[in-house]
Coordinates of all heavy atoms in Angstrom, one line a residue:
I1 N -8.3 -1.4 2.4 CA -7.4 -0.6 1.5 C -6.9 -1.5 0.4 O -6.3 -2.5 0.6 CB -6.2 0.0 2.3 CG1 -6.7 0.9 3.5 CG2 -5.3 0.8 1.4 CD1 -5.6 1.3 4.4
Y2 N -7.1 -1.0 -0.8 CA -6.8 -1.8 -2.0 C -5.9 -0.9 -2.9 O -6.4 0.1 -3.5 CB -8.1 -2.2 -2.7 CG -8.0 -3.4 -3.6 CD1 -9.1 -4.3 -3.7 CD2 -7.0 -3.6 -4.5 CE1 -9.1 -5.4 -4.5 CE2 -7.0 -4.7 -5.3 CZ -8.0 -5.6 -5.3 OH -8.0 -6.7 -6.2
F3 N -4.6 -1.2 -3.0 CA -3.7 -0.2 -3.7 C -2.9 -0.9 -4.8 O -2.5 -2.1 -4.7 CB -2.7 0.3 -2.6 CG -2.8 1.8 -2.4 CD1 -3.9 2.4 -1.8 CD2 -1.7 2.6 -2.8 CE1 -3.9 3.7 -1.6 CE2 -1.7 4.0 -2.5 CZ -2.9 4.5 -2.0
Y4 N -2.7 -0.1 -5.9 CA -1.8 -0.5 -6.9 C -0.4 -0.2 -6.3 O 0.0 0.9 -6.0 CB -2.0 0.3 -8.2 CG -1.0 0.0 -9.3 CD1 -0.9 -1.2 -9.8 CD2 -0.2 1.1 -9.8 CE1 0.0 -1.5 -10.8 CE2 0.6 0.8 -10.9 CZ 0.8 -0.5 -11.4 OH 1.6 -0.7 -12.4
R5 N 0.5 -1.3 -6.2 CA 1.7 -1.1 -5.5 C 2.7 -0.2 -6.2 O 3.6 0.4 -5.5 CB 2.4 -2.5 -5.4 CG 1.8 -3.4 -4.3 CD 2.6 -4.7 -4.2 NE 4.0 -4.4 -4.0 CZ 5.0 -5.2 -4.4 NH1 4.7 -6.3 -5.1 NH2 6.3 -4.9 -4.2
H6 N 2.6 0.0 -7.5 CA 3.6 0.8 -8.2 C 3.2 2.2 -8.4 O 3.7 2.9 -9.4 CB 3.9 0.1 -9.6 CG 4.3 -1.3 -9.4 ND1 5.6 -1.7 -8.9 CD2 3.7 -2.5 -9.7 CE1 5.7 -3.0 -8.9 NE2 4.6 -3.5 -9.3
D7 N 2.3 2.7 -7.6 CA 1.9 4.1 -7.5 C 3.2 4.9 -7.2 O 3.8 4.8 -6.2 CB 0.9 4.3 -6.4 CG 0.4 5.8 -6.3 OD1 1.1 6.7 -6.8 OD2 -0.7 6.0 -5.8
I8 N 3.7 5.7 -8.2 CA 4.9 6.4 -8.0 C 4.8 7.8 -7.4 O 5.8 8.5 -7.2 CB 5.7 6.6 -9.4 CG1 4.8 7.5 -10.3 CG2 6.0 5.3 -10.0 CD1 5.6 7.9 -11.6
T9 N 3.6 8.2 -7.0 CA 3.4 9.5 -6.3 C 4.1 9.4 -4.9 O 4.0 8.3 -4.2 CB 2.0 9.8 -6.1 OG1 1.3 8.8 -5.4 CG2 1.3 9.9 -7.5
P10 N 4.7 10.4 -4.4 CA 5.3 10.4 -3.1 C 4.3 10.2 -2.0 O 4.6 9.5 -1.0 CB 6.0 11.8 -3.0 CG 5.4 12.6 -4.0 CD 4.9 11.7 -5.1
W11 N 3.1 10.7 -2.2 CA 2.1 10.5 -1.1 C 1.6 9.1 -1.1 O 1.3 8.5 0.0 CB 0.9 11.5 -1.3 CG 0.3 11.5 -2.6 CD1 -0.6 10.7 -3.2 CD2 0.6 12.5 -3.6 NE1 -0.9 11.0 -4.4 CE2 -0.2 12.1 -4.8 CE3 1.4 13.6 -3.7 CZ2 -0.2 12.9 -6.0 CZ3 1.4 14.3 -4.9 CH2 0.6 14.0 -6.0
G12 N 1.5 8.4 -2.2 CA 1.1 7.0 -2.3 C 2.1 6.1 -1.6 O 1.7 5.2 -0.8
Q13 N 3.4 6.3 -1.8 CA 4.4 5.5 -1.2 C 4.4 5.8 0.3 O 4.6 4.8 1.1 CB 5.8 5.8 -1.8 CG 5.9 5.4 -3.3 CD 5.7 3.9 -3.4 OE1 6.5 3.1 -2.8 NE2 4.8 3.4 -4.3
D14 N 4.4 7.0 0.7 CA 4.3 7.3 2.1 C 3.1 6.7 2.8 O 3.2 6.2 4.0 CB 4.3 8.8 2.3 CG 5.6 9.5 2.0 OD1 6.6 8.8 1.8 OD2 5.7 10.7 1.9
F15 N 2.0 6.7 2.1 CA 0.8 6.1 2.7 C 0.9 4.6 3.0 O 0.6 4.1 4.0 CB -0.4 6.4 1.8 CG -1.7 5.8 2.3 CD1 -2.4 6.4 3.3 CD2 -2.2 4.6 1.7 CE1 -3.6 5.9 3.7 CE2 -3.4 4.1 2.1 CZ -4.1 4.7 3.2
L16 N 1.5 3.9 2.0 CA 1.7 2.5 2.1 C 2.6 2.2 3.3 O 2.4 1.2 4.1 CB 2.2 1.9 0.8 CG 1.2 1.8 -0.3 CD1 1.9 1.2 -1.5 CD2 0.0 1.1 0.0
I17 N 3.7 2.9 3.4 CA 4.6 2.7 4.5 C 3.9 3.0 5.9 O 4.1 2.2 6.8 CB 5.8 3.7 4.4 CG1 6.7 3.3 3.2 CG2 6.7 3.6 5.6 CD1 7.8 4.3 2.8
A18 N 3.1 4.0 5.9 CA 2.4 4.3 7.2 C 1.4 3.2 7.5 O 1.3 2.9 8.7 CB 1.7 5.7 7.0
R19 N 0.8 2.7 6.5 CA -0.2 1.6 6.9 C 0.5 0.3 7.3 O -0.1 -0.5 8.1 CB -1.1 1.4 5.7 CG -2.0 2.5 5.2 CD -3.1 2.9 6.2 NE -2.6 3.6 7.5 CZ -2.2 4.9 7.6 NH1 -2.1 5.6 6.5 NH2 -1.8 5.3 8.7
L20 N 1.6 0.0 6.7 CA 2.4 -1.2 7.1 C 2.8 -1.0 8.6 O 2.9 -2.1 9.3 CB 3.6 -1.4 6.3 CG 3.3 -2.0 4.9 CD1 4.5 -1.9 4.0 CD2 2.8 -3.4 5.0
R21 N 3.0 0.2 9.1 CA 3.3 0.4 10.5 C 2.2 0.7 11.4 O 2.3 0.9 12.6 CB 4.3 1.6 10.5 CG 5.6 1.4 9.8 CD 6.4 2.6 9.7 NE 7.8 2.4 9.3 CZ 8.6 3.3 8.8 NH1 8.3 4.6 8.8 NH2 9.9 3.0 8.4
D22 N 1.0 0.7 10.8 CA -0.2 1.1 11.5 C -0.9 -0.2 12.1 O -1.3 -1.1 11.4 CB -1.2 1.7 10.6 CG -2.4 2.3 11.3 OD1 -2.7 1.9 12.5 OD2 -3.1 3.2 10.7
P23 N -0.9 -0.3 13.5 CA -1.5 -1.5 14.1 C -3.0 -1.8 13.8 O -3.5 -2.9 14.0 CB -1.2 -1.3 15.6 CG -1.1 0.2 15.7 CD -0.5 0.7 14.5
Q24 N -3.6 -0.7 13.3 CA -5.1 -0.9 13.0 C -5.3 -1.6 11.7 O -6.4 -2.1 11.5 CB -5.7 0.5 12.9 CG -7.3 0.5 12.9 CD -7.9 1.8 12.9 OE1 -7.2 2.8 12.6 NE2 -9.2 1.9 13.1
W25 N -4.3 -1.7 10.9 CA -4.4 -2.3 9.5 C -3.5 -3.5 9.4 O -2.3 -3.4 9.7 CB -4.2 -1.3 8.4 CG -5.3 -0.2 8.4 CD1 -5.3 1.0 9.1 CD2 -6.5 -0.3 7.7 NE1 -6.4 1.6 8.8 CE2 -7.2 0.9 7.9 CE3 -7.1 -1.3 6.8 CZ2 -8.5 1.1 7.4 CZ3 -8.3 -1.0 6.3 CH2 -9.0 0.2 6.6
A26 N -4.0 -4.6 8.8 CA -3.3 -5.8 8.6 C -3.2 -6.1 7.1 O -4.2 -6.1 6.4 CB -3.9 -7.0 9.3
P27 N -1.9 -6.3 6.5 CA -1.8 -6.7 5.1 C -2.3 -8.1 5.0 O -1.8 -9.0 5.7 CB -0.3 -6.6 4.9 CG 0.3 -6.7 6.2 CD -0.6 -6.1 7.2
V28 N -3.2 -8.4 4.1 CA -3.7 -9.7 3.9 C -3.5 -10.3 2.5 O -3.7 -11.5 2.3 CB -5.3 -9.7 4.2 CG1 -5.5 -9.4 5.6 CG2 -6.0 -8.8 3.3
F29 N -3.0 -9.5 1.6 CA -2.7 -10.0 0.3 C -1.6 -9.0 -0.4 O -1.7 -7.8 -0.2 CB -3.9 -10.0 -0.6 CG -3.6 -10.5 -2.0 CD1 -3.7 -11.8 -2.3 CD2 -3.3 -9.6 -3.0 CE1 -3.4 -12.3 -3.6 CE2 -3.0 -10.1 -4.3 CZ -3.1 -11.4 -4.6
V30 N -0.7 -9.6 -1.1 CA 0.2 -8.8 -1.9 C 0.7 -9.7 -3.0 O 0.9 -10.9 -2.9 CB 1.5 -8.4 -1.0 CG1 2.3 -9.5 -0.6 CG2 2.3 -7.4 -1.8
D31 N 0.9 -9.0 -4.2 CA 1.5 -9.7 -5.3 C 2.3 -8.7 -6.1 O 2.6 -7.6 -5.6 CB 0.4 -10.4 -6.2 CG -0.6 -9.5 -6.8 OD1 -0.4 -8.2 -6.7 OD2 -1.5 -10.0 -7.5
D32 N 2.6 -9.0 -7.4 CA 3.4 -8.0 -8.1 C 2.7 -6.8 -8.5 O 3.3 -5.8 -8.9 CB 3.9 -8.7 -9.4 CG 4.9 -9.8 -9.2 OD1 5.5 -9.8 -8.1 OD2 5.0 -10.7 -10.1
Y33 N 1.4 -6.7 -8.4 CA 0.6 -5.6 -8.8 C 0.0 -4.8 -7.6 O -0.1 -3.6 -7.7 CB -0.6 -6.1 -9.7 CG -0.1 -7.0 -10.9 CD1 -0.2 -8.4 -10.8 CD2 0.5 -6.4 -12.0 CE1 0.2 -9.2 -11.8 CE2 0.9 -7.3 -13.1 CZ 0.7 -8.6 -12.9 OH 1.1 -9.4 -14.0
T34 N -0.5 -5.5 -6.6 CA -1.4 -4.9 -5.6 C -1.0 -5.3 -4.2 O -0.3 -6.3 -4.0 CB -2.9 -5.2 -5.9 OG1 -3.0 -6.6 -5.7 CG2 -3.3 -4.8 -7.2
I35 N -1.5 -4.5 -3.3 CA -1.5 -4.9 -1.9 C -2.9 -4.5 -1.3 O -3.5 -3.5 -1.6 CB -0.4 -4.1 -1.1 CG1 -0.3 -4.6 0.3 CG2 -0.5 -2.6 -1.2 CD1 0.9 -4.1 1.1

């Protein structure tokens, strides 16, 4: 999953929160632009 972090859509923000809580997915990179 490759996301622009500043996606202001409500579904985009909800999706990122859900994936951070999802044990199937591991965050491996984050910076000021992307995750």
Side-chain angles (χ1 to χ4, degrees):
I1 298 170
Y2 203 141
F3 243 65
Y4 177 59
R5 281 185 55 208
H6 305 289
D7 182 336
I8 63 173
T9 61
W11 51 82
Q13 293 297 305
D14 288 347
F15 177 77
L16 290 181
I17 292 171
R19 298 291 73 76
L20 284 169
R21 293 170 172 168
D22 189 342
Q24 190 177 15
W25 291 90
V28 293
F29 179 90
V30 66
D31 65 4
D32 291 339
Y33 309 99
T34 61
I35 183 169

